[in-house]
DNA sequence: TTTAGGG
DNA sequence: CCCTAAA
C-alpha cells in the first residue's frame, strides 16, 4: 500500500476521502489487484472442497479400482480436478482419443490419484490458512474503509459472506503465497485472474503478472484455448469476459473434436501395441517410476507438452526474450517521413527493405485505410500482411496531430487529410508466444499425415487443424520435422543400447515415434496416394500394395 | 500459394 | 518459430 497512508483507527474512513486523486488511483489499483486474487482464492477454496469430496469417493473407488465399470470419463474428471491443470476437465467426455489406452490403466491411475489428492489437499489447506486469510482481510478493509465501488464485472466473484477471516493483512505475504505455488497452480491463478489460459513457464513472470493484475498485455493465448474449451468462469459462474483479447479466439472449435473421434481404431490399436515394442528405451526416458502408457495418459489429460521435458517430465527451458516482448509489446519500430509524392519510391523502398512488418498504413493511391493490430496479425495469413507491406503509407498530418500519443495508441486509425506529406511506420510484430505441442495435437498431426500424406501440410492443416489460429501449415511441417528427428534419434539409441551424450532424451511417447516411422514409410507419401472422391472434397487414399 | 530447408 | 528461395 505504498503511498497510501491508511490510518488504522476509526478515523481512517474520513482520511481516505481527503486523499488526492493520485492516491485514490493507487488505492484503486491495489483494490483491483486484491479482488483478482480473491477470485483465485474463491476458486481454490472450491477446489479444496471438491477434492475432499473426490477423496472420499476415491476411497471407495480404490477398493474396486480394477472394476471394469470405472469409466474413463469418471477417471478424467477426477484427474482433472485434482491436478489444477490447464486441461480438459470441462469436457472430458468428448475426447475419445486413445480411449482403449486409457481404460487399461484406470486402476493404477486411481491409486496414484489418491496419493496426489492427499498431498494437494494439505498444500491447499496451508495456503488457505496463511495467504487467503490475509488477503480476504485486506479486501474487507479496502472495501469498507475506502468505500469505493467495486468493479462491476468482478462483483459476483467477491462473496462478502466468504470474507470472514480476520488476520493481520499483509500484501507481501500474499505474494509469497504465490511463490509457493507450482507453475501449474500459477496457471490456474492466471486463468482465474485474467480469464485466460497461459502456457508461460516463467514463474517470476507469472507471479508478477498476477500480482500486478495488469491486463495491458494479454496476448497470452494458450494452445488449449482452441480445444473447444468453455469460457473460463469464476466459482460463482460469472464469466470473466472483461479482457478485450478474448475476442481473439472465442469461437467454438468443437467441430474439431469429432474429427479426433474418427481416428480409426486400427491406428489407436497400433499405437497401443507398439508401445511395448520399444519399452526399454522408455524405461529410461520417461519420468521415474511412471510407465510410459501411464505417462501418455497423464499428458493427454493435462494437455502438457511432449517436447523439451527434462527429468521427471518438467520443462527446464529458461525464460526467453519472448516473454519479455510479450510484456513490453512491440519490440521496436522505425518510421520515415517524407514531404511529397516524389519520395514515394523511397518510402516503398523503406517499406520493402526493412525487415519489419507494417502495422499501420495508408494507401495513397486509393486512399483506402488498412489498419492492422497485433490481434489481427494472429488471424492474418502472410499473404495479407504482404499486401499491406506493399503500400504502407499514411498521412503525416494525422501523425502530427497525434504526435504525443503515438506511442500510447500505436494502432489508432488516421485520416488522410494532407496529401503532401506521408509517414511510413514499420513495426516488428512481437514474436509468437511459445506454444508447446500437446500430445493431443501431435496425435491430430499424425492423423492428418496418415490421411493426407507426408508433405501435404496445407491439406493436413485443413484436415486436422481447420480452426486453429496457432498451428499453421508451416508449424505442422516444423513439428513433423522434429518428430522425425526424434524418431531417428530414438532408433539410434535403441541400436546402440545407450544414448549419445549429446542426444537429448526425447520424452515423445514411443508409440508416437513408431507411428511417425510408419508414416515415413513410402506408402504414406503423396506420390503413392491416389485421389478418391468424397463428400468432403479432396481426399487422398492409400494405394493398396 | 505452398513446400522445403536453413537459421 | 522465423525467414525465404523456389516450385
Amino acid at each position: 500500500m505504498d503511498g497510501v497512508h491508511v490510518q488504522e483507527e476509526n478515523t481512517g474512513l474520513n482520511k481516505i476521502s481527503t486523499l488526492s486523486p493520485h492516491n485514490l488511483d493507487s488505492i484503486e489499483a491495489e483494490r483491483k489487484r486484491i479482488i483478482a486474487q480473491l477470485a483465485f482464492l474463491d476458486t481454490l477454496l472450491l477446489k479444496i472442497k471438491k477434492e475432499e469430496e473426490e477423496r472420499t469417493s476415491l476411497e471407495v473407488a480404490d477398493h474396486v479400482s480394477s472394476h471394469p465399470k470405472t469409466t474413463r470419463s469418471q477417471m478424467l474428471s477426477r484427474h482433472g480436478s485434482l491436478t489444477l491443470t490447464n486441461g480438459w476437465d470441462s469436457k472430458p467426455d468428448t475426447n475419445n482419443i486413445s480411449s482403449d489406452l486409457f481404460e487399461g490403466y484406470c486402476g493404477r491411475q486411481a491409486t496414484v490419484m489418491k496419493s496426489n489428492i492427499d498431498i494437494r489437499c494439505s498444500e491447499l489447506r496451508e495456503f488457505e490458512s496463511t495467504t487467503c486469510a490475509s488477503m480476504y482481510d485486506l479486501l474487507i478493509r479496502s472495501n469498507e474503509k475506502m468505500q469505493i465501488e467495486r468493479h462491476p464485472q468482478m462483483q459476483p466473484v467477491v462473496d462478502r459472506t466468504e470474507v470472514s477471516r480476520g488476520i493481520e493483512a499483509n500484501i507481501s505475504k500474499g505474494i509469497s503465497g504465490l511463490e509457493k505455488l507450482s507453475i501449474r497452480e500459477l496457471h490456474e491463478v492466471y486463468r482465474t485472474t485474467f480469464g485466460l489460459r497461459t502456457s508461460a513457464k516463467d514463474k517470476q513472470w507469472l507471479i508478477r503478472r498476477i500480482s500486478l493484475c495488469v491486463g495491458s498485455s494479454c496476448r497470452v493465448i494458450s494452445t488449449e484455448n482452441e480445444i473447444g474449451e468453455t469460457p473460463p468462469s469464476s466459482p460463482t459462474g460469472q464469466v470473466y469476459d472483461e479482457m478485450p483479447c478474448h475476442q481473439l479466439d472465442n469461437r467454438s472449435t468443437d467441430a474439431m473434436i469429432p474429427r479426433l473421434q474418427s481416428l480409426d481404431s486400427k491406428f489407436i490399436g497400433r499405437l497401443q501395441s507398439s508401445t511395448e515394442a520399444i519399452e526399454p528405451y522408455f524405461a529410461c526416458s520417461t519420468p521415474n517410476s511412471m510407465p510410459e502408457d501411464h505417462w501418455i495418459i497423464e499428458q493427454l489429460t493435462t494437455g502438457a507438452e511432449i517436447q523439451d521435458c527434462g527429468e521427471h517430465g518438467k520443462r527446464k527451458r529458461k525464460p526467453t526474450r519472448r516473454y519479455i516482448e510479450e510484456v513490453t509489446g512491440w519490440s521496436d519500430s522505425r518510421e520515415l517521413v517524407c514531404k511529397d509524392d516524389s519520395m514515394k519510391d523511397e518510402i516503398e523502398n523503406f517499406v520493402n527493405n526493412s525487415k519489419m512488418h507494417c502495422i499501420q498504413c495508408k494507401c495513397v493511391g486509393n486512399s483506402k485505410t488498412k489498419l492492422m493490430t497485433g490481434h489481427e496479425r494472429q488471424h492474418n495469413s502472410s499473404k495479407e500482411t504482404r499486401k499491406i507491406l506493399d503500400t504502407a503509407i499514411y498521412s503525416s498530418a494525422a501523425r502530427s496531430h497525434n504526435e504525443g500519443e503515438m506511442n500510447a495508441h500505436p494502432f489508432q486509425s488516421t485520416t488522410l487529410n494532407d496529401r503532401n506529406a506521408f509517414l511510413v511506420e514499420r513495426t516488428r510484430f512481437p514474436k509468437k508466444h511459445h506454444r508447446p505441442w500437446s500430445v493431443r495435437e501431435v496425435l491430430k498431426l499424425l492423423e492428418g499425415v496418415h490421411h493426407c500424406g507426408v508433405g501435404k501440410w496445407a491439406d493436413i492443416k485443413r484436415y486436422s487443424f481447420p480452426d486453429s489460429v496457432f498451428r499453421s501449415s508451416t508449424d505442422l511441417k516444423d513439428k513433423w520435422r522434429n518428430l522425425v528427428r526424434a524418431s531417428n534419434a530414438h532408433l539410434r539409441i535403441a541400436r546402440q543400447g545407450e544414448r549419445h551424450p549429446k542426444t537429448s532424451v526425447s520424452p515423445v511417447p514411443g508409440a508416437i515415434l513408431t507411428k511417425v516411422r510408419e508414416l515415413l514409410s513410402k506408402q504414406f507419401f503423396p506420390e503413392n496416394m491416389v485421389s478418391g472422391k468424397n463428400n468432403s472434397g479432396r481426399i487422398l487414399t492409400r494405394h493398396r500394395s
Side-chain angles (χ1 to χ4, degrees), chain A residues 217-494:
Chain A
S217 174
C218 45
R219 266 177 268 110
V220 193
I221 312 292
S222 164
T223 303
E224 273 65 33
N225 269 359
E226 77 188 37
I227 311 188
E229 196 74 36
T230 53
S233 60
S234 72
T236 58
Q238 170 77 3
V239 176
Y240 286 76
D241 58 358
E242 69 267 31
M243 307 301 283
C245 50
H246 276 189
Q247 293 148 14
L248 177 59
D249 189 25
N250 58 4
R251 62 199 162 131
S252 172
T253 52
D254 287 1
M256 226 185 306
I257 301 302
R259 290 176 185 277
L260 275 180
Q261 292 172 341
S262 75
L263 202 66
D264 70 85
S265 55
K266 236 171 126 190
F267 172 57
I268 289 298
R270 276 198 298 270
L271 209 59
Q272 188 176 14
S273 61
S274 60
T275 296
E276 282 115 56
I278 37 183
E279 187 68 24
Y281 168 75
F282 278 98
C284 64
S285 68
T286 49
N288 288 340
S289 67
M290 190 186 274
E292 184 206 358
D293 37 31
H294 185 155
W295 181 81
I296 293 179
I297 290 160
E298 169 97 354
Q299 303 297 301
L300 282 170
T301 48
T302 61
E305 66 280 7
I306 63 171
Q307 278 223 310
D308 300 315
C309 294
E311 293 291 310
H312 314 301
K314 282 186 182 170
R315 280 168 53 82
K316 283 175 171 175
R317 183 197 298 277
K318 70 177 180 185
T320 64
R321 237 179 78 221
R322 286 174 192 181
Y323 295 128
I324 298 167
E325 286 177 348
E326 214 167 76
V327 177
T328 59
W330 309 102
S331 39
D332 53 359
S333 67
R334 286 186 225 160
E335 58 183 45
L336 177 72
V337 184
C338 64
K339 291 298 176 198
D340 51 57
D341 284 320
S342 65
M343 286 183 70
K344 194 180 171 188
D345 287 346
E346 191 177 332
I347 290 176
E348 287 182 353
N349 195 40
F350 168 77
V351 168
N352 292 327
N353 290 334
S354 58
K355 302 225 166 189
M356 303 166 94
H357 301 267
C358 180
I359 57 165
Q360 189 165 207
C361 57
K362 183 79 180 181
C363 302
V364 179
N366 53 17
S367 71
K368 198 170 73 181
T369 303
K370 174 66 187 180
L371 188 69
M372 271 188 81
T373 67
H375 287 169
E376 279 183 74
R377 191 260 180 173
Q378 303 280 352
H379 286 294
N380 279 345
S381 56
S382 59
K383 54 165 187 195
E384 287 172 67
T385 306
R386 288 189 181 278
K387 255 184 223 163
I388 291 159
L389 290 187
D390 289 339
T391 47
I393 302 169
Y394 70 90
S395 168
S396 72
R399 174 187 174 264
S400 57
H401 182 265
N402 295 332
E403 189 83 48
E405 309 143 42
M406 215 47 172
N407 289 331
H409 307 286
F411 306 130
Q412 201 163 50
S413 187
T414 60
T415 52
L416 184 65
N417 51 16
D418 178 2
R419 291 186 143 281
N420 291 322
F422 305 99
L423 168 73
V424 175
E425 179 178 346
R426 305 210 63 189
T427 304
R428 216 181 80 194
F429 286 123
K431 285 176 184 165
K432 278 166 72 176
H433 187 272
H434 176 60
R435 291 173 207 287
W437 280 67
S438 66
V439 170
R440 255 170 74 77
E441 288 178 297
V442 173
L443 291 177
K444 283 199 292 181
L445 173 60
L446 294 189
E447 186 201 1
V449 173
H450 181 96
H451 190 273
C452 309
V454 175
K456 311 295 289 179
W457 308 118
D459 291 341
I460 295 167
K461 160 73 180 171
R462 281 189 287 270
Y463 178 77
S464 288
F465 300 85
D467 298 320
S468 172
V469 180
F470 307 114
R471 303 299 183 201
S472 68
S473 56
T474 300
D475 293 332
L476 306 186
K477 180 260 303 173
D478 286 341
K479 182 58 190 177
W480 173 258
R481 182 170 52 179
N482 288 336
L483 285 173
V484 170
R485 283 174 185 167
S487 170
N488 291 336
H490 173 257
L491 274 189
R492 274 201 304 279
I493 291 159

Side-chain angles (χ1 to χ4, degrees), chain A residues 64-279:
Chain A
V64 291
S65 59
S66 58
H67 196 284
K69 278 183 183 169
T70 308
T71 69
R72 177 177 159 273
S73 64
Q74 282 171 327
M75 302 307 294
L76 264 177
S77 64
R78 283 171 197 160
H79 192 88
S81 69
L82 84 92
T83 51
L84 295 176
T85 67
N86 53 0
W88 317 332
D89 19 354
S90 61
K91 286 198 161 207
D93 287 328
T94 54
N95 303 313
N96 279 336
I97 195 163
S98 296
S99 63
D100 297 347
L101 217 60
F102 199 97
E103 292 290 352
Y105 301 96
C106 286
R108 250 179 299 167
Q109 192 85 333
T111 313
V112 174
M113 282 194 303
K114 186 175 177 302
S115 62
N116 280 348
I117 289 173
D118 286 337
I119 296 167
R120 192 68 68 192
C121 279
S122 64
E123 283 174 359
L124 291 179
R125 277 198 207 92
E126 188 195 339
F127 181 81
E128 183 193 13
S129 65
T130 56
T131 311
C132 298
S134 61
M135 286 202 287
Y136 270 113
D137 185 52
L138 194 60
L139 181 86
I140 291 175
R141 295 187 350 185
S142 74
N143 269 334
E144 292 182 352
K145 288 191 178 180
M146 300 173 193
Q147 293 192 324
I148 298 170
E149 240 182 53
R150 286 179 184 152
H151 194 290
Q153 280 150 325
M154 282 300 197
Q155 203 153 6
V157 175
V158 185
D159 184 354
R160 296 281 285 238
T161 64
E162 279 275 320
V163 184
S164 56
R165 283 151 259 253
I167 299 180
E168 202 43 49
N170 188 331
I171 283 286
S172 63
K173 218 170 165 185
I175 303 299
S176 73
L178 288 175
E179 304 263 8
K180 286 181 198 164
L181 296 179
S182 70
I183 294 283
R184 208 168 257 181
E185 286 162 333
L186 283 171
H187 284 174
E188 184 67 14
V189 183
Y190 187 98
R191 193 178 71 101
T192 316
T193 305
F194 297 108
L196 283 173
R197 298 176 184 283
T198 177
S199 57
K201 300 299 185 296
D202 183 348
K203 194 169 180 179
Q204 291 310 314
W205 182 87
L206 284 166
I207 291 173
R208 201 163 7 101
R209 287 295 297 275
I210 292 165
S211 62
L212 288 176
C213 189
V214 172
S216 61
S217 174
C218 45
R219 266 177 268 110
V220 193
I221 312 292
S222 164
T223 303
E224 273 65 33
N225 269 359
E226 77 188 37
I227 311 188
E229 196 74 36
T230 53
S233 60
S234 72
T236 58
Q238 170 77 3
V239 176
Y240 286 76
D241 58 358
E242 69 267 31
M243 307 301 283
C245 50
H246 276 189
Q247 293 148 14
L248 177 59
D249 189 25
N250 58 4
R251 62 199 162 131
S252 172
T253 52
D254 287 1
M256 226 185 306
I257 301 302
R259 290 176 185 277
L260 275 180
Q261 292 172 341
S262 75
L263 202 66
D264 70 85
S265 55
K266 236 171 126 190
F267 172 57
I268 289 298
R270 276 198 298 270
L271 209 59
Q272 188 176 14
S273 61
S274 60
T275 296
E276 282 115 56
I278 37 183
E279 187 68 24

